[in-house]
Amino acid sequence: MRFFSTWFLVLVLTGTAIAQPGLTGVRICVDPGHGGHNPANDRRIELDPGNVFWESEGNFQKALRLDTLLQAQGAWVILTRYTNEYPNDSLEPTLTQRWQLANANNVHWFHSIHSNAFNGSVNYTLLLARESTTNPGQPQSPQAFQMCQIMAPSIMSFLRTPSQMSRLDYSFLGYRLGVLSGLLMPGQLSEGSFHDVLSEYRKLQNLDYNKMEAYALRNAFMSYFTAPPDTLGIIAGLQTEIGTGRAINFSQVRLLPINRVYVGDRFNNGFYMFDRLPTGQYMLRFETPGYTPDSASVVVSSGAVVFVDRQLESSAPPTVVSSIPAEGDTLFSANRSIVLQFSKVMDTASVRRAFSITPSVNGRILWTNTNTTLTFDPDSLLPFFVNFVVRVDTQARSAGG
């Protein structure tokens, strides 16, 4: 008897599961606070003539960007409003309608976006959760307060506000926030920064600065829901003029080697931002027309936010912008000092060589305001009824030459 053995070739096909985005399955309702440029329930501010800021518009722009970032992570997102234009103010959703929308869509989380205002000098990040109505001093939702403590430092780090805090609404405000009152899920309200502070008011008109806050909120959600952190980084910063400290409008920054160019806006903030950057080394080139070029080498690690601020010098020559006494003043007191205010930080040695008074007067030169203000202090009283010529000739140079 002969035996035959048969061999079968079995192919086992193995597949690699495709990883789902980190917030897949999470349902979030985002509420852009206020709405509709309605002074009755919105806040309007105009610190720079012609540049009007409405809190509702800032909130709306942040929410649009947060919507995009959360959906990219797989979250299901609904906004309480998809416009900031309401021909009739009655069409704007009420506070009750906002939490009702969250409940009706069975979301896992509710977040209301705001900015704050007080006296024009205070700026910090504030997160508020609903206080329990039956257990004073305790949160209605412990999960919401836990999220506040994640969101507050995240926003502070992205916006570089001086400080942050998380509080319960009634204990902190003396009243309960209506937009959180009927939620069936955890929720909180953020006041990212104070829009009545001049520098913040100006930055909040920059859409990419709004996006920075959206990134901060997204990262907080990812941290809370233990999603893998984003590995792409951000480089951002502010550009100001040496000497004056003025923020530079329409600034131009080039990022190498990827050759991306950022062009700033006209709102006196000097802000720039490059996002979605892989880990690696980059070169920033500050190429704003009318300013001396500058550069900086930057290393971006996984998921990092790197801030590079720059002071640039205007390529215009320095000038004397004001003087005490003013030209032609015949009533200048004999015991006063002579003060010259320059448009730039000056090279003090070159100004000393260029400075003269005729007829000659003995005295000493003092510098203040980071070498932009020269004060000549005479050794004795100036003689009466004498005309003097104070001169700064073209030997004078700015600190940048």
Side-chain angles (χ1 to χ4, degrees):
M1 182 178 292
R2 302 178 64 184
F3 294 92
F4 295 90
S5 63
T6 305
W7 293 87
F8 295 93
L9 178 63
V10 179
L11 296 177
V12 180
L13 300 179
T14 61
T16 301
I18 299 175
Q20 295 296 311
L23 295 177
T24 298
V26 179
R27 300 170 64 86
I28 300 171
C29 180
V30 176
D31 171 45
H34 303 286
H37 310 134
N38 177 8
N41 56 13
D42 198 354
R43 293 194 278 196
R44 178 191 186 279
I45 192 167
E46 187 176 357
L47 301 180
D48 290 328
N51 287 343
V52 175
F53 174 81
W54 291 89
E55 184 193 339
S56 63
E57 188 63 31
N59 300 339
F60 184 56
Q61 296 301 330
K62 295 172 194 175
L64 290 178
R65 282 147 186 80
L66 178 58
D67 182 13
T68 300
L69 292 174
L70 289 174
Q71 289 197 52
Q73 291 296 322
W76 184 93
V77 185
I78 189 170
L79 304 187
T80 58
R81 58 186 179 91
Y82 285 89
T83 182
N84 201 38
E85 304 297 331
Y86 296 97
N88 185 331
D89 291 336
S90 65
L91 299 175
E92 180 189 332
T94 65
L95 298 181
T96 298
Q97 288 171 333
R98 297 174 194 233
W99 60 254
Q100 285 178 337
L101 179 72
N103 291 348
N105 283 276
N106 196 31
V107 300
H108 299 108
W109 215 277
F110 177 89
H111 183 75
S112 186
I113 298 175
H114 291 252
S115 60
N116 216 336
F118 180 51
N119 63 3
S121 62
V122 174
N123 188 28
Y124 58 86
T125 297
L126 172 65
L127 266 290
L128 293 167
R130 181 167 171 77
E131 187 167 347
S132 171
T133 56
T134 58
N135 192 5
Q138 298 300 314
Q140 185 77 23
S141 164
Q143 298 95 325
F145 196 70
Q146 180 185 354
M147 179 70 91
C148 287
Q149 294 172 307
I150 298 172
M151 281 185 171
S154 181
I155 296 174
M156 183 184 76
S157 67
F158 273 79
L159 301 189
R160 296 193 285 179
T161 55
S163 61
Q164 54 83 19
M165 63 177 70
S166 297
R167 296 291 185 268
L168 300 177
D169 58 358
Y170 187 78
S171 292
F172 186 77
L173 300 171
Y175 59 88
R176 301 185 190 281
L177 292 168
V179 76
L180 305 179
S181 61
L183 292 175
L184 299 178
M185 73 291 299
Q188 64 287 313
L189 181 149
S190 62
E191 305 271 13
S193 59
F194 281 66
H195 60 250
D196 62 342
V197 174
L198 180 60
S199 60
E200 200 67 22
Y201 148 86
R202 290 170 169 172
K203 286 184 287 187
L204 284 167
Q205 295 179 77
N206 183 290
L207 296 181
D208 289 311
Y209 188 70
N210 296 157
K211 192 175 184 181
M212 290 289 280
E213 186 166 334
Y215 269 118
L217 293 168
R218 181 210 64 173
N219 284 5
F221 278 110
M222 293 174 69
S223 175
Y224 182 87
F225 287 102
T226 63
D230 192 353
T231 60
L232 300 178
I234 297 173
I235 299 174
L238 302 174
Q239 298 158 91
T240 54
E241 186 175 284
I242 291 176
T244 66
R246 288 192 298 261
I248 297 173
N249 282 340
F250 303 113
S251 60
Q252 185 168 303
V253 186
R254 187 180 303 274
L255 184 64
L256 299 173
I258 59 178
N259 203 32
R260 280 170 58 183
V261 177
Y262 188 95
V263 178
D265 60 33
R266 62 177 182 85
F267 297 113
N268 304 311
N269 52 62
F271 183 77
Y272 75 94
M273 188 263 274
F274 298 98
D275 62 350
R276 297 190 55 77
L277 301 177
T279 300
Q281 184 160 351
Y282 297 87
M283 176 66 70
L284 285 170
R285 287 283 301 167
F286 298 92
E287 301 175 343
T288 303
Y291 290 84
T292 54
D294 202 352
S295 62
S297 180
V298 185
V299 175
V300 177
S301 57
S302 179
V305 182
V306 183
F307 291 102
V308 181
D309 297 330
R310 221 53 170 187
Q311 288 189 317
L312 304 178
E313 184 176 19
S314 167
S315 54
T319 61
V320 176
V321 294
S322 66
S323 66
I324 302 174
E327 187 172 358
D329 186 354
T330 59
L331 298 176
F332 186 65
S333 174
N335 65 355
R336 294 185 65 187
S337 297
I338 296 167
V339 181
L340 302 179
Q341 176 69 46
F342 293 90
S343 63
K344 293 186 172 188
V345 176
M346 299 301 292
D347 170 41
T348 60
S350 70
V351 177
R352 185 178 295 274
R353 292 191 297 268
F355 181 85
S356 64
I357 300 179
T358 307
S360 180
V361 177
N362 291 325
R364 58 177 182 156
I365 291 177
L366 305 173
W367 287 93
T368 53
N369 298 330
T370 61
N371 293 345
T372 60
T373 303
L374 176 154
T375 300
F376 179 78
D377 185 20
D379 288 343
S380 59
L381 291 179
L382 296 172
F384 290 90
F385 307 110
V386 175
N387 290 327
F388 290 92
V389 175
V390 179
R391 177 181 177 85
V392 179
D393 67 32
T394 55
Q395 296 181 73
R397 294 285 185 269
S398 70

